[in-house]
Amino acid sequence: MYLLHLVIILPFIFALGSLFVSKVKQHIHTGWFILPAPILIFIYFVLRLPEVRNGEQLTASVPWMPSLGVNFTVYLDGLSLLFALLISGVGSLVILYSIFYLNKRKEAIAQFYIYLLLFMGAMLGVVLSDNLIVLYGFWELTSISSFLLIAFWHQRERSRYGALKSMLITVFGGLAMLSGFLLLYVITGTFSIRGISANVSTIAEHSLFVPAMLLVLLGAFTKSAQFPFHIWLPDAMEAPTPVSAYLHSATMVKAGLYLVARLSPIFAGEAGWFWLVSGTGILTLIYGSYRALKQTDLKSMLAFSTISQLGLIMSLLGLGSAAAIYSDTGASLFYVKATMAGIFHLINHAVFKGALFMVVGIVDHETGTRDIRKLGGLMSVMPVTFSIALIGTFSMAGLPPFNGFLSKEMFFTAVLNIMEMDVLNMQFLGIVFPVIAWIASIFTFIYSMLLLFKTFTGQQFDKLEKKPHEAPLGMLLPPVVLAALAVVFGLFPNLLSYTLIEPAMAAIHPTMLVPGQQFDAAIHIWHGWTTEVFMTLGVVAAGIVFYRLHHRVKLLHQPLFSGITLNKSYDGGLNLLDKAAKGLTDRYMTGSIRHYSMYIFVFLIVSITVTMGGSSNIRFDFSEFAPMSLYEAVVIFALIVSVIAVAFAHTRMMAIILTGTAGYMVTLFFVIFRAPDLALTQMIVETVSVTLFLLCFYHLPKLKKEIESMRFILPNLIIALGVGGVMTLLALSASSSRSFDSISDFFIKESYNLAGGKNIVNVILVDFRGFDTMLEIVVLSIASYAIYALIRLKLVHEGHPVRRG
Amino acid sequence: MELYMSLAIGVLFTVGVYLVLSKSLLRIILGTSLLTHGVHLLLLTMSRLKTGAAPLLGQKAESYVDPLPQALILTSIVISFGVTSFFFVLAYKAYQKLGTDDMEQLRGEENE
């Protein structure tokens, strides 16, 4: 066990501890006991910064299932460190915030912190694991803990709905991802990510390479709420706001981004990867920003905003993968800029979106509503909250001097660069990327402004549940820290670029650098009068115009496709699945034993016919058949007639007697075919059973039905004829071909010598194969005990068994 | 002889299955009893018929019929006798208790 392992385990230890603490120390908010965990982890990771910056990679491994190639291997490089810092940093702030947000008397806070810590540990495990199976395990644990957190207020129906939806979608993606991982294992024979990326050139030729890529991407897209799998995220907003801030803006939804970035070295050379990742990302960007405009609930607006920003980062990671297509040329460094923008925006988004969610939580907490139509004029009452919101929204809209401005500029640079790409049909489609990016930025600008000004300016409403006032200091502190970071990263972006972004880029593009060289990740706050600046100016101008016109342009605030929405298809699909499964089961599970017997017999006919038809060893050879005498012909005729007559018998008495007749005919056959013991037994058994049957049914009251003869039902006859025909063919083919000599020669020869008996059948029964006989006696005794019990056991009417005697 | 035996076995199976598919509980049991006869004759037929004397060494014959299938059938007769008698008593009790032997009326309830 190494320190790196301990860091992952630490939240789980605290989760266990919080269970006891919440019981023992009830007057102190459990959150205070939890807070050290993320802070310690954060400090640990900050201290690792210099080592990672120098290109050292910390790795540690503990064997778990070595025979299957599954080891708990952790691995810290630039990319993992970036995510680990986000998780522990935002985690500390969120826990601090939640201490003031959740009431320790009214809420089940012990559960809350256990789930939250489970999530934190799982998320650290995802970003630090080198082994794909371990990564998958932690990945599913994030899904499960997210499910628990969304449904934290499980009395509400909407919470349970949202939790179930997110569970179904992310677990669906997770399972697809697992199959992708298994395919990667089939291709390479190792689960280690570093091991797989080491021999990437050989695996790209493999036929399973593309399926593996698609399945892994499915996992990443569902987790990161990419179109069309984004539908779970707006419904996940039923969770407590700290959860939304942490899971659904800063960490879990970025797990998919992490996966894409982490596996980029493996898949990036593939054209499909470039198209899927960047295309899905850009589609999600425009769709999310457009839908965010129409929301009236602040958290839904932020949810769609998150979706759109995740799409932005995803598309940047896709565009950055173009560098691998141009590997070995100078052009590759040109496209790497997109990756840099992606990483930078990933940090920025976590910062400002975390702050915005906390702001919304404060507004909700202090006014009792999140509806944008009921809010207004909070600027003067809540000045600090307003300042944070202003920084957050301006940063989100991409305005200087905040960090969002820089990442938006870099985003524009990346999409403009991609226009110049001359492979993969980009000379025609290249223009699409900048256009969509520009329009989406306008939408982003508009909803950011709506979010800020509709909440904090204008008329103050009187109908609010509470008298609004500024939030307590503890609740304000975390968003203030995040807002300050947004400003600091905006003014001094190189703080990040040298410490975090460069090592992360080195992790995403490992082959791009000659040893010793480093990416030029310097970010300049002002870079001259470039095209990007004019694009931003255009965004601001168009944004202001549309914001002014907001009420008059229906496109911006009224639902456009109310007929068919993805949510409706999801709900309808689930419903349909439910109904179809029930319908199918109802159709074949009729409860009628006749139907079930029919299935069995039809299956018997079909399977034997198909097997016999397909086999070349079936032959019918009548040459060695024994001749038939007149006497035997008469007996066979009598058997057939009596058997057929059973089916036509009018009364059950008649049917019993005819069955008995058939049994006596069988006895005669045993006589003819030289089987005296069989004939004896068959005769006795037949006599006893017929007597028993007659005795039983003679005493029964006559019901109206029983006199009726059998009704003729054609399907029954067809199935019966089918079984009969098949069995005849089986008997013929079995008796006309014999592959081996019988072992009976042994019994005949040794019956007297070994066992001292001349009746060979009896010797077999009690000597050679005595075990059969013993168990057959057991069967008979069980049957007789059961019959005795059936007769003696009296059941009272209501179905309560009463034991007698 | 084997050819005609096979046909007889076919008839036994046909009628047996037809009875098993019927509605009356009694006829279903009679059907299983016919199926049992069919199986026994099938076992016997498959080992060739009339190839020698009865399997009693006292007969001092040149060849005997195969004794092994006979032993198997004997075991089977006894077991099927046990099972059939149990079924009969079960059917009898069901009939007494429920007042019907119509399988369609003996169906389980919905959503059971």
Side-chain angles (χ1 to χ4, degrees):
Chain A
M1 188 65 71
Y2 302 87
L3 204 53
L4 218 46
H5 287 105
L6 192 68
V7 170
I8 298 177
I9 306 289
L10 195 67
F12 297 108
I13 299 172
F14 269 76
L16 198 64
S18 81
L19 195 64
F20 301 111
V21 165
S22 66
K23 292 267 177 293
V24 179
K25 294 268 178 194
Q26 278 172 348
H27 56 286
I28 303 175
H29 201 286
T30 314
W32 292 114
F33 297 101
I34 303 305
L35 196 55
I39 292 178
L40 281 175
I41 297 170
F42 185 72
I43 292 170
Y44 170 80
F45 282 117
V46 168
L47 293 178
R48 299 281 85 73
L49 269 173
E51 298 165 43
V52 172
R53 161 114 189 85
N54 293 336
E56 288 175 40
Q57 292 161 345
L58 285 84
T59 172
S61 185
V62 171
W64 181 20
M65 294 183 276
S67 55
L68 299 175
V70 178
N71 295 310
F72 189 8
T73 309
V74 287
Y75 169 65
L76 185 72
D77 63 357
L79 189 63
S80 312
L81 184 67
L82 166 70
F83 273 89
L85 282 172
L86 274 184
I87 293 161
S88 52
V90 182
S92 319
L93 294 174
V94 161
I95 289 182
L96 181 62
Y97 178 81
S98 69
I99 293 174
F100 294 90
Y101 187 85
L102 291 174
N103 190 313
K104 70 167 184 267
R105 282 192 195 82
K106 290 182 195 152
E107 309 282 5
I109 48 174
Q111 276 96 315
F112 180 79
Y113 287 111
I114 289 170
Y115 301 158
L116 199 69
L117 284 167
L118 275 185
F119 171 78
M120 189 183 288
M123 200 63 211
L124 284 172
V126 166
V127 299
L128 290 171
S129 292
D130 177 58
N131 193 291
L132 287 174
I133 294 299
V134 177
L135 193 155
Y136 170 74
F138 282 122
W139 182 280
E140 291 297 21
L141 192 55
T142 63
S143 294
I144 292 167
S145 49
S146 157
F147 168 79
L148 292 169
L149 283 167
I150 295 170
F152 180 63
W153 289 314
H154 51 81
Q155 304 85 349
R156 301 187 191 166
E157 210 235 321
R158 293 295 306 170
S159 300
R160 296 197 302 271
Y161 172 79
L164 181 65
K165 193 177 193 180
S166 73
M167 182 78 162
L168 285 176
I169 293 177
T170 53
V171 167
F172 160 73
L175 286 175
M177 193 183 80
L178 176 65
S179 2
F181 286 171
L182 293 178
L183 289 185
L184 280 179
Y185 180 74
V186 169
I187 300 171
T188 59
T190 172
F191 279 126
S192 160
I193 296 175
R194 277 174 302 157
I196 295 172
S197 18
N199 45 19
V200 63
S201 52
T202 54
I203 66 174
E205 312 296 314
H206 202 281
S207 59
L208 291 176
F209 184 68
V210 175
M213 182 186 85
L214 293 177
L215 288 167
V216 167
L217 273 185
L218 199 56
F221 286 168
T222 49
K223 196 75 162 182
S224 277
Q226 299 294 300
F227 188 87
F229 307 110
H230 65 275
I231 51 172
W232 65 269
L233 190 60
D235 283 308
M237 290 301 130
E238 294 298 323
T241 303
V243 172
S244 310
Y246 189 39
L247 273 69
H248 306 127
S249 69
T251 51
M252 188 178 90
V253 287
K254 297 208 164 80
L257 299 175
Y258 169 78
L259 193 75
V260 167
R262 175 54 82 203
L263 300 182
S264 265
I266 300 173
F267 294 112
E270 183 73 27
W273 177 269
F274 170 82
W275 279 114
L276 271 174
V277 176
S278 53
T280 310
I282 205 97
L283 186 65
T284 313
L285 166 67
I286 183 91
Y287 181 78
S289 58
Y290 177 65
R291 287 293 304 274
L293 285 175
K294 301 167 184 301
Q295 306 303 318
T296 52
D297 177 88
L298 287 175
K299 273 178 100 174
S300 312
M301 195 179 242
L302 285 179
F304 277 106
S305 151
T306 303
I307 291 167
S308 114
Q309 306 274 315
L310 291 170
L312 191 159
I313 302 169
M314 189 65 89
S315 73
L316 281 172
L317 290 176
L319 296 180
S321 75
I325 296 167
Y326 282 99
S327 54
D328 309 326
T329 64
S332 71
L333 285 175
F334 192 51
Y335 297 108
V336 160
K337 291 252 190 271
T339 311
M340 187 171 86
I343 299 168
F344 189 50
H345 193 69
L346 193 141
I347 305 170
N348 291 340
H349 177 250
V351 168
F352 67 67
K353 194 52 68 68
L356 283 176
F357 266 110
M358 290 177 185
V359 163
V360 169
I362 291 171
V363 170
D364 190 12
H365 213 259
E366 304 305 331
T367 65
T369 183
R370 295 193 312 241
D371 195 323
I372 206 164
R373 291 165 299 192
K374 292 184 189 158
L375 289 165
L378 293 176
M379 185 163 67
S380 52
V381 227
M382 306 166 80
V384 183
T385 317
F386 170 71
S387 317
I388 303 164
L390 181 114
I391 295 169
T393 47
F394 276 30
S395 177
M396 182 157 77
L399 298 177
F402 306 110
N403 56 4
F405 168 69
L406 296 173
S407 43
K408 185 134 301 180
E409 294 288 287
M410 288 159 72
F411 173 50
F412 285 151
T413 314
V415 288
L416 289 173
N417 279 350
I418 214 71
M419 275 176 75
E420 295 169 22
M421 202 167 133
D422 51 1
V423 292
L424 309 175
N425 287 330
M426 275 312 279
Q427 53 272 55
F428 307 115
L429 289 163
I431 190 71
V432 172
F433 280 89
V435 170
I436 293 182
W438 193 70
I439 297 173
S441 298
I442 296 174
F443 287 153
T444 308
F445 183 88
I446 303 171
Y447 73 69
S448 301
M449 295 307 119
L450 280 175
L451 184 74
L452 182 67
F453 292 116
K454 292 286 175 201
T455 313
F456 290 99
T457 63
Q459 287 287 313
Q460 192 172 342
F461 282 71
D462 306 325
K463 288 174 285 184
L464 295 176
E465 287 171 33
K466 301 174 183 172
K467 182 98 185 91
H469 56 81
E470 191 58 275
L473 183 65
M475 218 161 165
L476 284 174
L477 189 63
V480 165
V481 171
L482 287 173
L485 283 178
V487 179
V488 169
F489 292 159
L491 293 178
F492 309 102
N494 290 332
L495 268 182
L496 284 178
S497 55
Y498 294 119
T499 48
L500 272 177
I501 298 178
E502 275 181 20
M505 285 170 70
I508 298 175
H509 299 287
T511 55
M512 213 70 74
L513 292 177
V514 270
Q517 194 189 340
Q518 271 173 336
F519 285 107
D520 172 30
I523 300 168
H524 305 291
I525 189 162
W526 176 249
H527 36 75
W529 290 104
T530 52
T531 325
E532 294 87 325
V533 176
F534 290 111
M535 281 173 85
T536 305
L537 287 176
V539 167
V540 175
I544 291 173
V545 171
F546 279 116
Y547 177 69
R548 285 283 169 204
L549 293 174
H550 181 255
H551 284 290
R552 270 169 274 172
V553 187
K554 276 188 178 176
L555 189 72
L556 292 182
H557 61 93
Q558 281 194 348
L560 196 58
F561 333 88
S562 50
I564 321 156
T565 64
L566 286 165
N567 273 319
K568 272 189 190 156
S569 0
Y570 164 83
D571 291 335
L574 275 191
N575 235 330
L576 196 72
L577 216 60
D578 230 27
K579 278 207 191 106
K582 185 168 165 14
L584 186 68
T585 311
D586 282 352
R587 192 150 297 180
Y588 76 90
M589 297 296 284
T590 53
S592 154
I593 202 155
R594 184 179 148 247
H595 290 154
Y596 304 152
S597 311
M598 280 167 94
Y599 305 149
I600 294 170
F601 287 128
V602 168
F603 180 77
L604 179 98
I605 297 169
V606 170
S607 59
I608 294 184
T609 317
V610 168
T611 314
M612 282 177 76
S615 167
S616 54
N617 294 329
I618 304 294
R619 62 192 177 85
F620 297 104
D621 175 16
F622 298 169
S623 58
E624 290 178 28
F625 281 3
M628 184 166 70
S629 67
L630 180 66
Y631 177 60
E632 291 157 359
V634 169
V635 177
I636 282 195
F637 182 72
L639 173 74
I640 291 176
V641 167
S642 66
V643 165
I644 291 175
V646 175
F648 293 101
H650 284 281
T651 62
R652 51 186 184 200
M653 200 67 90
M654 194 64 196
I656 292 170
I657 291 169
L658 283 169
T659 313
T661 313
Y664 288 121
M665 293 301 141
V666 172
T667 311
L668 276 182
F669 275 122
F670 289 149
V671 173
I672 295 169
F673 298 136
R674 328 270 200 272
D677 302 286
L678 289 187
L680 267 175
T681 319
Q682 179 71 34
M683 193 169 72
I684 295 165
V685 160
E686 207 56 45
T687 311
V688 172
S689 358
V690 169
T691 317
L692 182 78
F693 298 170
L694 288 177
L695 261 181
C696 277
F697 281 82
Y698 185 75
H699 292 289
L700 276 182
K702 289 216 187 287
L703 295 173
K704 191 174 150 267
K705 273 230 157 180
E706 44 132 347
I707 314 282
E708 273 180 26
S709 60
M710 271 177 76
R711 272 199 302 150
F712 174 73
I713 301 169
L714 188 63
N716 289 3
L717 182 68
I718 293 170
I719 290 173
L721 281 175
V723 174
V726 160
M727 293 317 286
T728 307
L729 287 178
L730 203 67
L732 279 177
S733 69
S735 54
S736 60
S737 59
R738 175 174 256 182
S739 314
F740 308 101
D741 284 338
S742 169
I743 57 161
S744 299
D745 296 339
F746 168 81
F747 294 130
I748 294 167
K749 213 177 342 168
E750 304 294 341
S751 172
Y752 190 73
N753 297 341
L754 293 179
K758 291 186 177 173
N759 184 335
I760 308 174
V761 174
N762 288 5
V763 167
I764 293 176
L765 281 174
V766 298
D767 196 311
F768 289 126
R769 299 178 57 87
F771 251 118
D772 289 359
T773 312
M774 188 183 81
L775 294 174
E776 154 201 345
I777 293 167
V778 173
V779 169
L780 262 193
S781 42
I782 291 175
S784 50
Y785 279 128
I787 290 168
Y788 177 77
L790 261 184
I791 292 170
R792 290 297 296 270
L793 194 73
K794 294 282 184 211
L795 298 167
V796 286
H797 236 72
E798 293 308 311
H800 298 295
V802 173
R803 208 173 291 160
R804 237 181 36 153
Chain B
M1 188 70 217
E2 279 90 340
L3 176 65
Y4 302 103
M5 279 312 289
S6 301
L7 288 176
I9 290 164
V11 171
L12 274 167
F13 269 98
T14 308
V15 177
V17 168
Y18 190 70
L19 289 177
V20 165
L21 289 176
S22 73
K23 279 201 283 186
S24 150
L25 192 52
L26 173 78
R27 287 198 162 89
I28 290 176
I29 296 171
L30 291 181
T32 56
S33 157
L34 289 183
L35 286 177
T36 313
H37 292 321
V39 171
H40 293 162
L41 289 183
L42 181 63
L43 270 173
L44 201 68
T45 310
M46 282 195 301
S47 67
R48 281 290 148 79
L49 300 170
K50 299 205 282 185
T51 49
L56 301 167
L57 289 176
Q59 300 215 340
K60 305 260 189 304
E62 281 284 305
S63 66
Y64 298 95
V65 294
D66 200 337
L68 189 60
Q70 296 193 10
L72 297 180
I73 293 168
L74 196 60
T75 312
S76 168
I77 289 173
V78 176
I79 290 175
S80 63
F81 168 66
V83 174
T84 312
S85 4
F86 176 72
F87 277 167
F88 241 105
V89 176
L90 192 65
Y92 175 74
K93 289 299 273 191
Y95 195 90
Q96 250 188 349
K97 179 114 183 80
L98 302 169
T100 179
D101 74 337
D102 187 343
M103 286 315 290
E104 296 298 306
Q105 291 179 22
L106 291 174
R107 271 193 200 194
E109 294 291 310
E110 267 303 301
N111 304 322
E112 213 172 17

Short mmCIF file of all heavy atoms in Angstrom, two decimals, chain B residues 39-69:
data_model
loop_
_atom_site.label_atom_id
_atom_site.label_comp_id
_atom_site.label_asym_id
_atom_site.label_seq_id
_atom_site.Cartn_x
_atom_site.Cartn_y
_atom_site.Cartn_z
N VAL B 39 -42.69 -46.03 -24.49
CA VAL B 39 -41.25 -45.97 -24.20
C VAL B 39 -40.70 -47.36 -23.94
O VAL B 39 -39.63 -47.74 -24.43
CB VAL B 39 -40.99 -45.04 -23.00
CG1 VAL B 39 -39.54 -45.15 -22.55
CG2 VAL B 39 -41.32 -43.62 -23.37
N HIS B 40 -41.47 -48.19 -23.20
CA HIS B 40 -40.99 -49.53 -22.89
C HIS B 40 -40.83 -50.36 -24.16
O HIS B 40 -39.82 -51.03 -24.36
CB HIS B 40 -41.95 -50.22 -21.93
CG HIS B 40 -41.97 -49.58 -20.58
ND1 HIS B 40 -42.99 -49.77 -19.67
CD2 HIS B 40 -41.12 -48.73 -19.99
CE1 HIS B 40 -42.75 -49.07 -18.58
NE2 HIS B 40 -41.61 -48.43 -18.76
N LEU B 41 -41.82 -50.26 -25.01
CA LEU B 41 -41.72 -51.04 -26.26
C LEU B 41 -40.58 -50.51 -27.12
O LEU B 41 -39.90 -51.28 -27.80
CB LEU B 41 -43.04 -50.97 -27.02
CG LEU B 41 -44.19 -51.77 -26.39
CD1 LEU B 41 -45.43 -51.69 -27.25
CD2 LEU B 41 -43.77 -53.22 -26.18
N LEU B 42 -40.37 -49.18 -27.07
CA LEU B 42 -39.27 -48.59 -27.84
C LEU B 42 -37.93 -49.14 -27.36
O LEU B 42 -37.07 -49.52 -28.16
CB LEU B 42 -39.32 -47.06 -27.71
CG LEU B 42 -38.28 -46.26 -28.46
CD1 LEU B 42 -38.43 -46.45 -29.94
CD2 LEU B 42 -38.41 -44.78 -28.14
N LEU B 43 -37.79 -49.21 -26.05
CA LEU B 43 -36.54 -49.75 -25.48
C LEU B 43 -36.30 -51.17 -25.95
O LEU B 43 -35.19 -51.55 -26.33
CB LEU B 43 -36.62 -49.73 -23.95
CG LEU B 43 -36.15 -48.48 -23.23
CD1 LEU B 43 -36.46 -48.58 -21.75
CD2 LEU B 43 -34.65 -48.33 -23.42
N LEU B 44 -37.38 -51.92 -25.94
CA LEU B 44 -37.25 -53.33 -26.32
C LEU B 44 -36.93 -53.47 -27.81
O LEU B 44 -36.05 -54.24 -28.21
CB LEU B 44 -38.57 -54.06 -25.98
CG LEU B 44 -38.47 -55.56 -25.84
CD1 LEU B 44 -37.66 -55.89 -24.61
CD2 LEU B 44 -39.86 -56.17 -25.73
N THR B 45 -37.61 -52.68 -28.63
CA THR B 45 -37.45 -52.78 -30.08
C THR B 45 -36.05 -52.37 -30.51
O THR B 45 -35.48 -52.92 -31.45
CB THR B 45 -38.49 -51.89 -30.78
OG1 THR B 45 -39.75 -52.16 -30.23
CG2 THR B 45 -38.50 -52.13 -32.27
N MET B 46 -35.51 -51.38 -29.82
CA MET B 46 -34.22 -50.86 -30.25
C MET B 46 -33.10 -51.87 -30.09
O MET B 46 -32.05 -51.74 -30.69
CB MET B 46 -33.88 -49.59 -29.47
CG MET B 46 -34.63 -48.40 -30.01
SD MET B 46 -33.94 -46.88 -29.44
CE MET B 46 -34.06 -47.04 -27.70
N SER B 47 -33.32 -52.89 -29.26
CA SER B 47 -32.25 -53.87 -29.07
C SER B 47 -32.48 -55.11 -29.92
O SER B 47 -31.95 -56.17 -29.62
CB SER B 47 -32.15 -54.23 -27.60
OG SER B 47 -33.32 -54.95 -27.24
N ARG B 48 -33.27 -54.98 -30.96
CA ARG B 48 -33.56 -56.11 -31.86
C ARG B 48 -34.49 -57.11 -31.20
O ARG B 48 -34.32 -57.47 -30.03
CB ARG B 48 -32.28 -56.85 -32.28
CG ARG B 48 -31.53 -56.14 -33.36
CD ARG B 48 -32.36 -56.26 -34.63
NE ARG B 48 -32.17 -55.08 -35.46
CZ ARG B 48 -31.10 -54.90 -36.23
NH1 ARG B 48 -30.16 -55.81 -36.27
NH2 ARG B 48 -31.01 -53.83 -36.94
N LEU B 49 -35.42 -57.62 -31.99
CA LEU B 49 -36.42 -58.53 -31.45
C LEU B 49 -36.13 -59.96 -31.90
O LEU B 49 -35.60 -60.19 -32.98
CB LEU B 49 -37.80 -58.12 -31.95
CG LEU B 49 -38.22 -56.70 -31.55
CD1 LEU B 49 -39.47 -56.30 -32.30
CD2 LEU B 49 -38.44 -56.62 -30.06
N LYS B 50 -36.50 -60.90 -31.06
CA LYS B 50 -36.52 -62.32 -31.42
C LYS B 50 -35.18 -62.83 -31.96
O LYS B 50 -35.10 -63.48 -32.98
CB LYS B 50 -37.62 -62.58 -32.47
CG LYS B 50 -38.99 -62.23 -31.95
CD LYS B 50 -40.05 -63.02 -32.67
CE LYS B 50 -40.33 -62.44 -34.05
NZ LYS B 50 -41.44 -63.13 -34.71
N THR B 51 -34.08 -62.46 -31.28
CA THR B 51 -32.79 -62.92 -31.76
C THR B 51 -32.32 -64.18 -31.01
O THR B 51 -31.22 -64.65 -31.26
CB THR B 51 -31.72 -61.84 -31.62
OG1 THR B 51 -31.80 -61.33 -30.28
CG2 THR B 51 -31.91 -60.73 -32.61
N GLY B 52 -33.11 -64.69 -30.14
CA GLY B 52 -32.67 -65.89 -29.44
C GLY B 52 -33.67 -66.28 -28.36
O GLY B 52 -34.80 -65.79 -28.34
N ALA B 53 -33.22 -67.12 -27.43
CA ALA B 53 -34.10 -67.62 -26.39
C ALA B 53 -34.24 -66.59 -25.27
O ALA B 53 -33.52 -65.60 -25.23
CB ALA B 53 -33.53 -68.92 -25.81
N ALA B 54 -35.19 -66.88 -24.38
CA ALA B 54 -35.35 -66.01 -23.22
C ALA B 54 -34.08 -66.06 -22.38
O ALA B 54 -33.40 -67.08 -22.34
CB ALA B 54 -36.54 -66.47 -22.39
N PRO B 55 -33.73 -64.94 -21.71
CA PRO B 55 -32.43 -64.88 -21.03
C PRO B 55 -32.38 -65.70 -19.74
O PRO B 55 -32.21 -65.16 -18.66
CB PRO B 55 -32.25 -63.39 -20.76
CG PRO B 55 -33.63 -62.85 -20.71
CD PRO B 55 -34.45 -63.68 -21.63
N LEU B 56 -32.56 -67.00 -19.91
CA LEU B 56 -32.46 -67.92 -18.76
C LEU B 56 -31.44 -68.97 -19.14
O LEU B 56 -31.61 -69.70 -20.13
CB LEU B 56 -33.82 -68.58 -18.49
CG LEU B 56 -34.97 -67.61 -18.19
CD1 LEU B 56 -36.30 -68.33 -18.27
CD2 LEU B 56 -34.78 -66.99 -16.82
N LEU B 57 -30.36 -69.05 -18.38
CA LEU B 57 -29.25 -69.90 -18.79
C LEU B 57 -29.62 -71.38 -18.79
O LEU B 57 -29.00 -72.18 -19.44
CB LEU B 57 -28.04 -69.67 -17.87
CG LEU B 57 -27.36 -68.31 -18.08
CD1 LEU B 57 -26.24 -68.13 -17.07
CD2 LEU B 57 -26.81 -68.22 -19.50
N GLY B 58 -30.66 -71.71 -18.03
CA GLY B 58 -31.10 -73.09 -17.99
C GLY B 58 -31.56 -73.59 -19.35
O GLY B 58 -31.60 -74.80 -19.59
N GLN B 59 -31.85 -72.72 -20.29
CA GLN B 59 -32.36 -73.12 -21.59
C GLN B 59 -31.27 -73.69 -22.49
O GLN B 59 -31.56 -74.31 -23.51
CB GLN B 59 -33.00 -71.93 -22.28
CG GLN B 59 -34.16 -71.37 -21.49
CD GLN B 59 -35.26 -70.87 -22.40
OE1 GLN B 59 -35.01 -70.60 -23.56
NE2 GLN B 59 -36.44 -70.75 -21.86
N LYS B 60 -30.01 -73.42 -22.15
CA LYS B 60 -28.87 -73.94 -22.92
C LYS B 60 -29.00 -73.62 -24.40
O LYS B 60 -28.76 -74.45 -25.27
CB LYS B 60 -28.75 -75.47 -22.75
CG LYS B 60 -28.65 -75.95 -21.31
CD LYS B 60 -27.20 -76.23 -20.97
CE LYS B 60 -27.03 -76.93 -19.63
NZ LYS B 60 -27.61 -76.26 -18.48
N ALA B 61 -29.42 -72.42 -24.73
CA ALA B 61 -29.66 -72.07 -26.13
C ALA B 61 -28.38 -71.57 -26.78
O ALA B 61 -27.40 -71.27 -26.12
CB ALA B 61 -30.74 -71.01 -26.22
N GLU B 62 -28.40 -71.52 -28.12
CA GLU B 62 -27.27 -70.98 -28.88
C GLU B 62 -27.09 -69.51 -28.57
O GLU B 62 -26.00 -69.04 -28.29
CB GLU B 62 -27.54 -71.15 -30.38
CG GLU B 62 -27.29 -72.54 -30.90
CD GLU B 62 -25.81 -72.81 -31.05
OE1 GLU B 62 -25.14 -72.01 -31.75
OE2 GLU B 62 -25.29 -73.78 -30.44
N SER B 63 -28.22 -68.79 -28.64
CA SER B 63 -28.14 -67.35 -28.38
C SER B 63 -29.35 -66.92 -27.56
O SER B 63 -30.39 -67.58 -27.60
CB SER B 63 -28.11 -66.58 -29.69
OG SER B 63 -29.34 -66.75 -30.37
N TYR B 64 -29.15 -65.86 -26.84
CA TYR B 64 -30.24 -65.32 -26.00
C TYR B 64 -30.58 -63.92 -26.48
O TYR B 64 -29.76 -63.24 -27.10
CB TYR B 64 -29.80 -65.25 -24.54
CG TYR B 64 -29.47 -66.59 -23.95
CD1 TYR B 64 -28.17 -67.06 -23.91
CD2 TYR B 64 -30.48 -67.39 -23.42
CE1 TYR B 64 -27.86 -68.30 -23.39
CE2 TYR B 64 -30.18 -68.63 -22.88
CZ TYR B 64 -28.87 -69.07 -22.86
OH TYR B 64 -28.58 -70.30 -22.34
N VAL B 65 -31.80 -63.46 -26.13
CA VAL B 65 -32.10 -62.06 -26.43
C VAL B 65 -31.35 -61.19 -25.41
O VAL B 65 -30.95 -61.67 -24.35
CB VAL B 65 -33.62 -61.74 -26.35
CG1 VAL B 65 -34.36 -62.46 -27.44
CG2 VAL B 65 -34.16 -62.05 -24.99
N ASP B 66 -31.22 -59.93 -25.78
CA ASP B 66 -30.45 -58.98 -24.96
C ASP B 66 -31.10 -58.82 -23.59
O ASP B 66 -32.24 -58.36 -23.49
CB ASP B 66 -30.41 -57.64 -25.70
CG ASP B 66 -29.28 -56.79 -25.20
OD1 ASP B 66 -28.84 -57.02 -24.06
OD2 ASP B 66 -28.86 -55.88 -25.94
N PRO B 67 -30.43 -59.19 -22.50
CA PRO B 67 -31.08 -59.09 -21.18
C PRO B 67 -31.05 -57.67 -20.59
O PRO B 67 -31.86 -57.36 -19.73
CB PRO B 67 -30.25 -60.02 -20.31
CG PRO B 67 -28.91 -60.01 -20.93
CD PRO B 67 -29.09 -59.79 -22.40
N LEU B 68 -30.13 -56.86 -21.08
CA LEU B 68 -29.96 -55.54 -20.44
C LEU B 68 -31.20 -54.66 -20.60
O LEU B 68 -31.69 -54.11 -19.60
CB LEU B 68 -28.71 -54.86 -20.99
CG LEU B 68 -28.31 -53.60 -20.26
CD1 LEU B 68 -28.02 -53.89 -18.80
CD2 LEU B 68 -27.10 -52.97 -20.91
N PRO B 69 -31.77 -54.51 -21.81
CA PRO B 69 -32.97 -53.68 -21.92
C PRO B 69 -34.09 -54.19 -21.05
O PRO B 69 -34.87 -53.40 -20.50
CB PRO B 69 -33.35 -53.78 -23.39
CG PRO B 69 -32.14 -54.23 -24.09
CD PRO B 69 -31.35 -55.02 -23.12
#
